Amino acid sequence: MTSDNDRRRGLLARLRGRPGAPSRGRRRLGAAVRLVAALMLAGGAYTVLAPGAAAQENPPLSTAAADGKALFDVSCVTCHGRNAQGVEGRGPSLIGVGAASVEFQVGTGRMPMARQEAQAARKPEVFTRDEIDQLAAYIQELGGGPVVPAGDNLHADGNVAIGGELYRINCSQCHAFSGGGGALSSGKYAPSLAPATDRQIYAAMLSGPQNMPVFGDNQITPEQKADIIAYIQQTLKDDGDPGGLFNLGRYGPSTEGVAIFLVGIVALVFASLWIAGKS
Amino acid sequence: MKRRKFDVAAVPGNTARAVDDRFQVATPLRRLLNKVFPDHWSFLLGEIALFSFIVLLLTGVFLTFFFEPAMTEVIYNGSYAPLRGTPMSAAYASTLDISFDVRGGLIMRQMHHWAALLFMAAIVVHMLRVFFTGAFRKPRETNWIIGSLLFWVGFLAGFTGYSLPDDGLSGTGLRIASAIMLSIPVIGSWVTAAVFNGEFPGTIIISRFFIAHVLLIPGLLVALITVHLGLVFKQKHTQWPGPGRTNGNVVGERMFPRYAIKQGGFFMVVFGVIALMGGLFQINPVWLFGPYEAWVVSAASQPDWYVMFLDGSTRLMPDWEITIPIGEGYVIPPLFWPTVVLPGILVAISLLYPFMEARHLKDYRSHNLLQRPRDVPFRTGLGVMALTFYVILTLSGANDVIADKFHISLNAMTWAGRVGLLLLPPLAYYVTYRICLGLQQHDREVLAHGVETGIIRRLPDGRFVEVHQPLSAGNGHGELDYAGWVVPKKMNRLGALGPAIRGFFYPIERPAEAPVSPGHPPVEPRPEREEITSGETRS
């Protein structure tokens, strides 16, 4: 039992080798001195040993980012977690995705998501442009990442011929020749490019949202991005269809096949009813 | 010398006599012009195909003036800015020139493509009419076979034409065609090398397809169409059964003048519809597809609709690869079954069907009268079954577009296609069979009891009965046999409402004042009756 008692008495008491109990006042005084000494030791050791970078942790957020954090803590925190670190099974970490990702996901109304499904769909935006900028500033200051260049017109000096070739090689596999979008596996899809603005296309290429791969600046240079955007905005959207009033959605032979039966065959069957009825 | 007066009125007669004196054509021409054709709207469906083929020839000749069937690489410098400076084949560049720089070139291209789709669609619709009415039976099996071959030759014509512009979409299709050829066991690689003169794509395939598309295949089509029409003349057209129509006569209109005028008019209508579609509906915008490059494959790449069933069968086929343990293992790729074996079976069944049915029914007589689809439920059922099979395959060929636009999972579309391909055709057969029996039963019922008049009579004891109009004299019960004719089901078919007002879109004559039926005298107005009184007069 002696060893059990020794263990209960504590290390310092055993070192003193004096089993007799000191008075209550001395005990209290000694405890206070030991506490102060331990605290000073720990604090000093921390000051000496702590890495310099850690000293800059939790820098003050800019005003915009602080506003963004307030928005984040109301609208995004459920899935992306505190400090945007992500929640397992609900939403990914946003550290390092950059302002480009926020601009695309929130600017096209995809975030906040309505529900968890194969892919978030474009819908009317929840936040104003200013609020999106604040959220973007917060995420940007949180972990850095790609940023869309300033300005609304990002294709001013784009070359549609180069852009067209790059578009067909890099984009048409999913978004189709016409930019109308296409199906991916298990309910995922590449959306139509019709409602996309210059900044959104640029942000999508930089951040690779949802099932889209990232086309970073080392794969497609900013000039080439401008060319692609020029092709999408000018050739695919503004130039219209030289082939007629109706483009049949530019879905290719599938809608053309529907048209030949619904328009051609139906019209001619009525014509044959009319002609055969004239007897 | 007195100059003879030139008699204008005698010119046609004199000319005709002069021609007949030299060529002796009056007798055969008289027979031809007096040839009688039965008149029914469904007999005009084949003409849609014939007339769109004529439009194809006309527009196709125009396109050959400007198309350059070569794969030499050029730098485009035409008026379409988004492709200027892009290296491409001469074939693609000349297609762009036709679209943007040749006056009227784009509408000619679009009319040509729409006419091709219409040609194939009309062939299929015409074939369905022939099948469901039993018009393929003896003696017309040969014409059925020629018609089926016309579909497959038209299929080749369409595919070669689709490949000619050498754009991104058709190049993808050509790559798939080369893969299909490669999948054939043993001879596959030799076939591919022979067609492409080496590896895909080579440098000669466009030139080869061009000569096939503008000379060989159209020549074959013209030959087949000529024999097809010649046989219709020789064997005479089938007709619907009806009063005065027997297996041994033809009731209809003479070829000249009425039938010829109608056909001429119908050609104008077909031409007009194709021209309208070519001008209003954009088709095959090759400028968006870009030149063919092996690394460019767009989403929603589909062949034209008549090839789409092969795309669909490929998409539905599970990835069952068969490895035969010979040497290091000989592989039969899964692509072989849906794209070589399946069309082979379809061709064989369609060609042999008339003989299989005759053997099954032990019916080797000649038939010149058509059958109503309801009267042969098993054939109608088989037809609907085949149609269901084909439609499911065709829809599966576009299943990515359907999945994307209707927000369905692509995987779900594929599995729905697989399950549907096995389950729906038998179900369609059963449902069709039952519908045919029901329609037959109703025909017999009307023949036995008469047409429903819609008049409800109350009997003195309070019961209500519906009055039927018997179709025969006497008490009209069970005296008429079904003869394959249309059975009138409504009172105005019996003349109760008088003849219909003439005119298709608006009446071209005033409706008759009182209901008049050809079989019955006009209804007399009710005679004035005297007031019946007690006999006393007030004075």
Side-chain angles (χ1 to χ4, degrees):
Chain A
M1 295 303 286
T2 318
S3 62
D4 279 358
N5 279 337
D6 280 357
R7 209 170 290 155
R8 280 195 205 118
R9 274 169 52 213
L11 185 66
L12 285 173
R14 271 182 281 151
L15 283 176
R16 278 200 300 272
R18 191 163 54 86
S23 75
R24 210 171 146 197
R26 277 189 63 184
R27 260 191 293 156
R28 285 207 177 154
L29 187 65
V33 168
R34 285 198 296 274
L35 180 65
V36 170
L39 281 174
M40 285 182 70
L41 187 69
Y46 180 80
T47 315
V48 173
L49 297 175
Q56 290 162 15
E57 208 171 61
N58 294 330
L61 291 169
S62 65
T63 322
D67 291 344
K69 180 170 165 48
L71 289 169
F72 182 93
D73 286 343
V74 172
S75 300
C76 319
V77 73
T78 319
C79 298
H80 291 293
R82 297 183 60 172
N83 296 323
Q85 284 164 332
V87 177
E88 185 71 35
R90 249 191 266 166
S93 162
L94 300 182
I95 309 293
V97 300
S101 187
V102 176
E103 185 161 354
F104 180 83
Q105 302 281 7
V106 186
T108 60
R110 287 180 165 83
M111 295 289 154
M113 260 176 126
R115 58 182 170 275
Q116 294 280 352
E117 55 189 331
Q119 188 170 324
R122 191 186 183 106
K123 56 184 184 292
E125 307 88 283
V126 174
F127 295 103
T128 63
R129 181 82 189 250
D130 291 339
E131 289 170 334
I132 295 167
D133 288 345
Q134 290 164 356
L135 276 170
Y138 173 56
I139 296 297
Q140 187 66 31
E141 289 183 17
L142 209 55
V147 180
V148 182
D152 275 338
N153 184 351
L154 297 177
H155 69 271
D157 39 315
N159 178 331
V160 287
I162 298 172
E165 183 159 16
L166 289 168
Y167 178 87
R168 288 189 295 272
I169 294 173
N170 294 293
C171 317
S172 70
Q173 290 97 321
C174 303
H175 292 286
F177 288 122
S178 59
L184 302 173
S185 61
S186 301
K188 292 172 282 194
Y189 58 92
S192 165
L193 299 177
T197 64
D198 286 12
R199 291 188 67 81
Q200 287 164 355
I201 298 171
Y202 204 108
M205 285 192 274
L206 277 182
S207 64
Q210 316 220 8
N211 295 291
M212 181 166 162
V214 173
F215 295 95
D217 281 348
N218 53 349
Q219 289 159 311
I220 292 183
T221 63
E223 295 80 52
Q224 291 175 327
K225 286 192 171 78
D227 294 341
I228 292 177
I229 295 172
Y231 181 74
I232 295 171
Q233 303 289 26
Q234 290 174 7
T235 308
L236 292 184
K237 291 192 203 167
D238 296 346
D239 281 1
D241 294 291
L245 284 180
F246 307 104
N247 63 10
L248 303 174
R250 292 193 194 149
Y251 297 136
S254 43
T255 43
E256 289 161 11
V258 172
I260 198 63
F261 279 94
L262 287 190
V263 179
I265 289 290
V266 165
L268 289 171
V269 163
F270 271 99
S272 63
L273 279 165
W274 177 52
I275 286 181
K278 294 266 161 201
S279 54
Chain B
M1 196 172 86
K2 191 184 173 188
R3 203 174 157 193
R4 276 176 67 189
K5 200 178 157 194
F6 183 69
D7 187 3
V8 180
V11 169
N14 290 337
T15 316
R17 189 176 303 113
V19 170
D20 187 46
D21 285 345
R22 288 165 181 79
F23 304 110
Q24 286 88 40
V25 290
T27 313
L29 209 57
R30 183 190 300 277
R31 282 194 61 186
L32 185 71
L33 296 183
N34 281 342
K35 187 109 187 147
V36 168
F37 280 91
D39 210 1
H40 189 263
W41 68 269
S42 67
F43 301 163
L44 295 172
L45 298 173
E47 269 87 344
I48 300 176
L50 177 68
F51 297 149
S52 40
F53 183 68
I54 295 171
V55 176
L56 278 171
L57 291 181
L58 294 175
T59 52
V61 167
F62 179 89
L63 295 176
T64 55
F65 294 152
F66 304 99
F67 181 68
E68 192 185 342
M71 293 172 86
T72 39
E73 189 168 278
V74 297
I75 304 291
Y76 178 71
N77 200 23
S79 59
Y80 186 65
L83 284 170
R84 212 174 284 156
T86 308
M88 57 181 65
S89 68
Y92 184 64
S94 63
T95 311
L96 289 176
D97 287 341
I98 290 173
S99 303
F100 293 108
D101 293 306
V102 173
R103 192 177 296 262
L106 183 54
I107 192 173
M108 283 294 181
R109 248 199 70 224
Q110 299 206 133
M111 278 178 69
H112 193 71
H113 206 131
W114 280 121
L117 296 193
L118 185 65
F119 177 64
M120 297 302 287
I123 285 180
V124 169
V125 176
H126 172 59
M127 214 166 163
L128 292 175
R129 196 282 294 176
V130 169
F131 182 84
F132 284 121
T133 59
F136 57 82
R137 292 175 296 167
K138 190 182 171 187
R140 295 181 181 78
E141 301 99 328
T142 321
N143 236 8
W144 167 264
I145 291 173
I146 292 171
S148 307
L149 288 178
L150 272 169
F151 176 85
W152 293 108
V153 178
F155 180 98
L156 286 181
F159 186 75
T160 49
Y162 170 87
S163 302
L164 283 184
D166 201 22
D167 58 273
L169 183 62
S170 73
T172 304
L174 204 53
R175 170 85 262 194
I176 295 171
S178 87
I180 292 171
M181 290 181 223
L182 277 172
S183 78
I184 305 172
V186 184
I187 60 166
S189 30
W190 277 277
V191 170
T192 320
V195 170
F196 289 92
N197 202 26
E199 258 307 318
F200 172 89
T203 52
I204 199 164
I205 188 67
I206 296 293
S207 317
R208 285 187 175 172
F209 269 22
F210 179 72
I211 206 63
H213 183 74
V214 303
L215 179 71
L216 304 178
I217 296 175
L220 191 55
L221 281 174
V222 168
L224 287 172
I225 290 173
T226 311
V227 179
H228 198 71
L229 294 180
L231 280 175
V232 171
F233 268 76
K234 177 74 188 67
Q235 298 176 331
K236 302 181 184 67
H237 205 289
T238 50
Q239 60 184 350
W240 286 103
R245 295 172 180 183
T246 68
N247 208 22
N249 70 2
V250 185
V251 179
E253 288 180 339
R254 282 188 178 154
M255 169 122 164
F256 195 82
R258 283 195 62 128
Y259 192 78
I261 291 172
K262 278 183 164 187
Q263 293 296 308
F266 195 42
F267 171 69
M268 301 295 174
V269 173
V270 173
F271 196 108
V273 167
I274 293 172
L276 276 177
M277 293 194 78
L280 291 176
F281 296 93
Q282 174 170 285
I283 186 166
N284 202 25
V286 287
W287 50 90
L288 292 179
F289 304 155
Y292 176 63
E293 289 155 310
W295 51 87
V296 173
V297 177
S298 168
S301 287
Q302 265 100 22
D304 279 343
W305 75 265
Y306 45 87
V307 190
M308 220 178 268
F309 77 100
L310 286 182
D311 203 329
S313 63
T314 311
R315 291 177 190 212
L316 297 188
M317 178 74 191
D319 55 348
W320 295 335
E321 198 172 77
I322 298 175
T323 308
I324 302 170
I326 306 173
E328 293 175 11
Y330 190 87
V331 174
I332 299 177
L335 184 63
F336 176 63
W337 308 107
T339 56
V340 181
V341 175
L342 178 79
I345 294 172
L346 293 183
V347 173
I349 291 180
S350 68
L351 293 188
L352 294 178
Y353 184 80
F355 305 103
M356 295 194 293
E357 190 192 289
R359 190 184 158 87
H360 175 68
L361 295 178
K362 299 185 178 58
D363 178 4
Y364 300 105
R365 288 166 296 154
S366 284
H367 297 278
N368 295 319
L369 286 177
L370 298 173
Q371 286 172 309
R372 303 176 79 201
R374 67 186 64 177
D375 291 337
V376 198
F378 87 92
R379 184 202 292 144
T380 310
L382 283 179
V384 175
M385 188 169 160
L387 194 62
T388 311
F389 187 80
Y390 185 86
V391 167
I392 292 173
L393 286 183
T394 303
L395 288 180
S396 295
N399 63 4
D400 58 329
V401 177
I402 298 173
D404 186 40
K405 298 308 159 198
F406 294 96
H407 304 290
I408 305 167
S409 158
L410 182 56
N411 306 43
M413 279 300 295
T414 305
W415 275 103
R418 285 173 179 169
V419 175
L421 194 65
L422 297 178
L423 285 188
L424 288 183
L427 192 68
Y429 178 87
Y430 178 76
V431 170
T432 311
Y433 200 98
R434 300 307 304 179
I435 290 175
C436 287
L437 291 186
L439 289 170
Q440 277 187 25
Q441 196 177 16
H442 192 243
D443 279 350
R444 265 63 167 187
E445 195 179 299
V446 170
L447 287 173
H449 301 296
V451 180
E452 294 172 356
T453 57
I455 300 169
I456 308 289
R457 179 181 289 159
R458 189 178 186 189
L459 299 183
D461 58 6
R463 281 183 299 152
F464 290 95
V465 291
E466 187 183 2
V467 178
H468 283 75
Q469 168 64 47
L471 292 176
S472 63
N475 68 0
H477 281 281
E479 288 167 14
L480 290 173
D481 285 329
Y482 181 71
W485 301 1
V486 176
V487 176
K489 299 269 177 80
K490 293 211 168 86
M491 283 302 283
N492 54 353
R493 292 270 172 197
L494 301 177
L497 297 180
I501 299 162
R502 288 168 63 84
F504 196 76
F505 295 111
Y506 54 89
I508 56 172
E509 61 181 9
R510 284 167 54 82
E513 290 295 332
V516 176
S517 101
H520 300 281
V523 178
E524 297 288 338
R526 197 176 65 167
E528 287 295 319
R529 290 190 187 171
E530 288 176 24
E531 193 182 359
I532 299 167
T533 60
S534 60
E536 295 171 16
T537 51
R538 202 173 294 206
S539 56

